[in-house]
Amino acid sequence: VVSDAKEGKDIYKIINYEVLSENAVTEKLADADQDTKDKVATARKDSGPKALATMTVFPLSMLIAYIAIYMYFRNRGGYKPIELDGGDGSSAPSGGDESPAPSGDDESSSSDD
């Protein structure tokens, strides 16, 4: 009945979705029988709270997860920074060449012969 009454919308230019155009639905319902009008009115009345309940599930689950993480780390004593070292007590990173890189103004590397 209202397949041509859809219009596209988006949220933050990322999430695209379609909604029914209010004007097109009103035009289509003008010649509809009373039973169809009642069904559309019921759907309009019930869709708002259902949509809100559906959209709040993810943010509430994220809130619960963040509270759980906060409580976990709080029970462990809070944030404690650790110092990473090379294993031998030095603070230099291990596993690489620790000699300084050549600077380029070395006499042995010039070709002034």
Side-chain angles (χ1 to χ4, degrees):
V1 173
V2 291
S3 61
D4 58 333
K6 294 180 181 178
E7 56 186 45
K9 291 194 173 191
D10 58 58
I11 298 174
Y12 302 118
K13 307 285 186 207
I14 297 173
I15 302 171
N16 299 320
Y17 63 98
E18 291 183 338
V19 296
L20 295 176
S21 170
E22 184 69 30
N23 295 333
V25 172
T26 304
E27 289 173 11
K28 298 277 185 182
L29 286 176
D31 356 328
D33 61 346
Q34 189 60 37
D35 184 46
T36 304
K37 290 179 182 180
D38 291 341
K39 288 180 182 178
V40 170
T42 303
R44 284 182 176 171
K45 183 182 76 169
D46 294 341
S47 66
K50 286 180 185 176
L52 181 61
T54 302
M55 294 301 289
T56 59
V57 170
F58 181 71
L60 285 176
S61 63
M62 291 299 297
L63 176 66
I64 292 168
Y66 284 128
I67 290 173
I69 291 170
Y70 171 76
M71 296 302 291
Y72 171 76
F73 284 111
R74 186 169 177 227
N75 287 337
R76 292 186 71 214
Y79 173 75
K80 294 178 184 173
I82 58 171
E83 188 173 322
L84 301 176
D85 59 7
D88 59 353
S90 67
S91 61
S94 63
D97 183 19
E98 296 179 8
S99 62
S103 64
D105 43 80
D106 211 7
E107 285 185 26
S108 63
S109 66
S110 65
S111 59
D112 291 337
D113 292 322

